[in-house]
Amino acid sequence: MQKSLWLKTAGTAAAITLAAATAAQAAPAPAESVSAAAVVTLRYDDSRAAGWESAIAAGVASWNANIDNVELVEAAPGTRAEIVIVATTGWPQAILGPVRPGGQVRVELGSQAVSQGYNKTRIAAHELGHSLGLPDTKPGPCSQLMSGSSAGTGCTNAVPNLTEQARVESLYANRLTALLPADGRTVVDAR
């Protein structure tokens, strides 16, 4: 190869490389095709639920692990919470949601169900499900968290099934729940 042809070829290659590098730096990065879903954060206050703390923590962890667009977090002391959880001597009950940010529902974790042999963690997760907008599905199998007491005292499942997960995801899709009021009905989980 002649020296002049080699220099011309090398110069062209260098110019192409430089042009490509400059264009790559100047071009905007491609838009990401997957946008992050909006997550609705709901705070809960369990300061009046003495004796239920570990069951509540496990119920919250179950929901947080199984739904993507809602996150339940413990409210800082003295701040308003969307979900107020209290311990009572009666049957578990809750206001039927879906609770919206800035709204408020009440969950009562009743010791009467525990004294009859029902699992505390399942009770807590079930009642949180009401706050998130899920009604009872009684009678139902143990695999349905919202079947509640109809699954029997031997049922300890505290994980929402795929249908229950999808329903909550739908209720909170695109943060639309911020515009919807909670149902307001109290769901008493006695048989």
Side-chain angles (χ1 to χ4, degrees), residues 91-180:
W91 264 93
Q93 59 184 340
I95 303 292
L96 184 60
V99 64
R100 64 192 183 279
Q104 193 169 68
V105 294
R106 180 179 167 100
V107 168
E108 295 183 6
L109 299 177
S111 62
Q112 188 175 356
V114 176
S115 67
Q116 291 186 19
Y118 291 96
N119 179 269
K120 284 177 109 173
T121 299
R122 179 172 168 84
I123 293 168
H126 175 90
E127 298 306 324
L128 288 168
H130 286 316
S131 296
L132 297 173
L134 299 178
D136 285 322
T137 55
K138 294 179 180 180
C142 183
S143 61
Q144 292 178 341
L145 176 60
M146 299 313 294
S147 67
S149 61
S150 70
T153 57
C155 179
T156 61
N157 173 41
V159 178
N161 68 20
L162 294 177
T163 301
E164 294 163 334
Q165 293 170 32
R167 178 69 178 139
V168 171
E169 293 282 356
S170 174
L171 288 169
Y172 288 88
N174 301 317
R175 299 181 62 96
L176 290 180
T177 299
L179 305 174
L180 302 173

Side-chain angles (χ1 to χ4, degrees), residues 16-56:
I16 290 171
T17 302
L18 181 59
T22 303
Q25 289 175 347
E32 294 202 23
S33 60
V34 179
S35 64
V39 175
V40 175
T41 301
L42 298 172
R43 295 161 299 180
Y44 68 91
D45 174 4
D46 64 355
S47 63
R48 295 186 293 160
W52 287 85
E53 296 87 354
S54 63
I56 294 166

